C-alpha cells in the first residue's frame, strides 16, 4: 500500500452543515497529487439561504451558484471521484458532517467512509500556537494563498497529511495511524429508508418547517457573562477534537459563554474562566482569525497564551468559527440542550 487518499474541503452557505455551496477534492497516490476537482453548487432546497457571516468568509454569493446543480445532483460525481479512498479533511468532523447532513436533507443514500483529520494529526505531530489550516500548511511547507477557496484548502490538507506521514516514516495511512497508536475513524453508510437522522439535521429540519427556531444572539457590549464551568461529559466521544482539553474563552462570541461552555463539556472538555498552566485551548471571539496572531490584534488572554506557548506549554488558539465547526454552528441547535458532539459515525 502507498500513501493513497483523497483530501476534501467544503464551504457552506450558512450555519447548518448540510448547506454546501462549494467543494474541493485532491487525490493523492504514493504521496503525490494526481488529480483535483472542485465544484460550486446550490445547497439542498430549503437550506440554501446564505448567511452574511459565511459569505464574508468564503466570498461565495447566491448569484455565484444560481445556475449550478444542487448538492444532490452533484454527489454522484463527488462520490465517483472519491471512490473507495480514505478521506482526509482539516477538521474532518465538519466536512464528513457536511456530507452526512446534506445527504439526509436531500433524502439520498451515501456510502461509508474511513477518514482522517489533519487537525488532530497536526496537534500530535506539530507544535503550533494555532492548528488552523494556514498555520499547519505553513509548517508543512505547503503554500496556501487563498484560504477558504475549497480547491486550495483541499490541496493544503493533502500536503499536511503527506508531510506528517513523511515525518513519521509512514508509507501509508495505515502505517501512520499504527505508528501514532490511533484507530482510524469511520463514518457509516446512510440509507434514508432506514437510517436515523443526525441531530444537526433534525434541528435544521425543525427550524425549516417552522416547528423550531434557530437562535441568533445579538451582539451585546460589556463584559461577557462567564457562567459556571460544567463537568466534562463522561460519555463524550474520545475521538472529538475537544475531548480531554481545558478550554477558556475570550472576547464576544455569537453564542453566550455559558452555552459555549456547555457545548464544550458535552464534547468531553473541561472549561475554565482564565488562562492558567492547565489551559490547552483558547477560543477567541470578536471576529478573530488565525492571522491576528501575527498582526497583534489580540486580547489579554490571547497574549498570555502566546507567552505560555513560547515557554513550551502545549496550548493553542481557536477562532470562534473553528470552535463552532467542532461543536455545531450557532444555528445547529435550539437552546444548547441538544448534544451536538455525537461521533460523526453515529446514526
Amino acid at each position: 500500500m502507498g500513501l493513497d487518499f483523497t483530501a476534501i474541503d467544503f464551504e457552506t452557505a450558512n450555519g447548518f452543515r448540510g448547506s454546501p455551496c462549494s467543494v474541493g477534492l485532491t487525490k493523492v497516490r504514493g504521496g503525490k497529487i494526481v488529480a483535483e476537482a472542485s465544484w460550486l453548487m446550490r445547497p439542498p432546497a430549503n437550506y440554501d439561504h446564505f448567511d452574511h457571516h459565511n459569505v464574508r468568509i468564503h466570498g461565495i454569493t447566491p448569484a455565484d451558484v444560481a445556475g449550478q446543480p444542487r448538492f444532490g445532483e452533484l454527489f454522484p460525481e463527488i462520490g465517483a471521484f472519491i471512490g473507495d479512498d480514505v478521506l482526509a479533511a482539516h477538521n474532518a468532523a465538519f466536512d464528513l458532517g457536511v456530507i452526512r447532513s446534506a445527504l439526509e436533507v436531500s433524502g439520498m443514500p451515501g456510502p461509508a467512509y474511513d477518514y482522517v483529520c489533519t487537525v488532530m494529526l497536526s496537534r500530535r505531530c506539530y507544535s503550533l500556537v494555532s492548528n488552523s489550516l494556514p498555520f499547519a500548511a505553513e509548517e508543512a511547507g505547503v503554500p496556501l494563498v487563498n484560504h477558504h477557496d475549497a480547491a486550495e484548502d483541499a490541496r493544503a490538507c493533502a500536503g499536511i497529511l503527506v508531510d506528517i506521514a513523511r515525518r513519521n516514516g509512514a508509507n501509508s495511512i495505515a502505517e501512520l495511524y499504527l505508528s501514532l497508536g490511533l484507530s482510524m475513524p469511520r463514518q457509516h453508510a446512510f440509507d434514508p429508508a432506514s437510517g436515523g437522522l443526525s441531530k444537526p439535521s433534525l434541528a435544521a429540519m425543525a427550524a425549516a418547517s417552522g416547528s423550531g427556531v434557530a437562535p441568533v444572539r445579538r451582539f451585546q457590549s460589556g463584559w461577557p457573562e462567564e457562567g459556571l464551568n460544567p463537568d466534562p461529559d463522561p460519555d463524550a466521544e474520545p475521538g472529538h477534537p475537544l475531548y480531554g482539553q481545558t478550554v477558556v474563552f475570550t472576547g464576544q462570541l455569537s453564542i453566550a459563554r455559558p452555552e459555549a461552555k456547555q457545548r464544550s463539556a458535552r464534547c468531553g472538555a473541561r472549561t475554565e474562566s482564565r488562562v492558567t498552566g492547565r489551559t490547552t485551548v483558547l477560543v477567541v471571539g470578536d471576529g478573530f482569525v488565525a492571522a491576528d496572531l501575527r498582526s497583534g490584534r489580540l486580547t489579554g488572554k490571547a497574549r498570555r497564551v502566546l507567552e505560555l506557548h513560547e515557554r513550551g506549554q502545549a496550548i493553542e488558539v481557536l477562532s470562534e468559527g473553528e470552535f463552532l465547526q467542532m461543536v455545531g454552528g450557532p444555528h445547529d441547535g435550539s437552546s444548547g440542550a441538544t448534544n451536538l458532539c455525537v461521533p460523526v459515525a453515529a446514526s
Side-chain angles (χ1 to χ4, degrees):
M1 292 178 61
L3 188 60
D4 303 342
F5 62 91
T6 292
I8 190 167
D9 181 81
F10 281 102
E11 301 297 330
T12 57
N14 54 67
F16 172 47
R17 292 180 180 183
S19 65
C21 58
S22 176
V23 65
L25 296 145
T26 297
K27 186 172 288 291
V28 172
R29 290 291 179 267
K32 303 292 184 182
I33 294 174
V34 297
E36 295 183 306
S38 63
W39 290 273
L40 289 172
M41 69 190 76
R42 285 184 295 157
N46 300 321
Y47 306 93
D48 52 1
H49 65 281
F50 278 70
D51 285 351
H52 170 74
H53 173 73
N54 294 63
V55 174
R56 183 170 57 85
I57 289 173
H58 53 57
I60 302 170
T61 67
D64 293 326
V65 303
Q68 302 298 327
R70 291 198 185 274
F71 167 84
E73 299 171 79
L74 275 177
F75 186 71
E77 291 184 65
I78 296 170
F81 187 94
I82 298 169
D84 296 327
D85 279 3
V86 171
L87 278 177
H90 206 70
N91 189 9
F94 172 77
D95 294 282
L96 272 292
V98 170
I99 294 175
R100 178 62 183 265
S101 286
L103 287 171
E104 289 174 343
V105 298
S106 300
M108 295 178 59
Y113 291 111
D114 292 324
Y115 65 91
V116 299
C117 177
T118 51
V119 169
M120 299 287 288
L121 293 174
S122 174
R123 281 180 172 175
R124 275 187 168 257
C125 301
Y126 298 152
S127 179
L128 304 174
V129 71
S130 169
N131 288 289
S132 67
L133 190 61
F135 277 72
E138 180 179 341
E139 178 69 15
V142 182
L144 179 59
V145 177
N146 189 16
H147 185 28
H148 294 298
D149 175 277
E152 290 202 28
D153 284 0
R155 190 181 308 127
C157 173
I160 292 166
L161 183 50
V162 169
D163 179 67
I164 288 174
R166 178 187 59 79
R167 294 189 187 200
N168 285 274
N171 295 312
S172 68
I173 302 295
E175 281 188 20
L176 175 61
Y177 267 61
L178 183 64
S179 70
L180 296 174
L182 298 172
S183 298
M184 190 177 305
R186 182 175 178 84
Q187 174 161 287
H188 297 313
F190 172 68
D191 182 353
S194 58
L197 299 180
S198 62
K199 292 183 178 180
S201 293
L202 288 171
M205 293 170 80
S209 68
S211 59
V213 178
V216 178
R217 189 176 301 276
R218 292 184 178 180
F219 178 87
Q220 296 179 342
S221 61
W223 198 263
E225 177 193 355
E226 280 288 340
L228 300 175
N229 292 305
D231 290 333
D233 185 347
D235 297 321
E237 168 59 32
H240 191 276
L242 293 180
Y243 185 87
Q245 304 295 323
T246 300
V247 182
V248 175
F249 298 89
T250 185
Q252 287 283 357
L253 308 177
S254 63
I255 60 176
R257 279 195 196 175
E259 182 179 345
K261 289 184 175 185
Q262 288 287 347
R263 293 193 188 191
S264 300
R266 286 195 292 273
C267 296
R270 183 173 300 280
T271 63
E272 295 185 341
S273 299
R274 62 188 183 91
V275 174
T276 70
R278 294 183 298 270
T279 308
T280 58
V281 174
L282 178 71
V283 178
V284 185
D286 293 323
F288 165 87
V289 293
D292 292 334
L293 291 170
R294 295 190 177 97
S295 69
R297 191 180 76 85
L298 299 172
T299 66
K301 286 181 180 178
R303 290 191 182 92
R304 174 66 173 153
V305 164
L306 289 177
E307 293 172 3
L308 292 172
H309 185 267
E310 289 174 358
R311 296 177 189 173
Q313 182 169 329
I315 188 169
E316 69 171 301
V317 178
L318 294 178
S319 68
E320 183 187 8
E322 291 169 318
F323 170 74
L324 289 174
Q325 280 193 340
M326 292 178 181
V327 303
H331 307 306
D332 278 356
S334 53
S335 63
T338 301
N339 184 356
L340 298 173
C341 294
V342 294
V344 177
S347 60

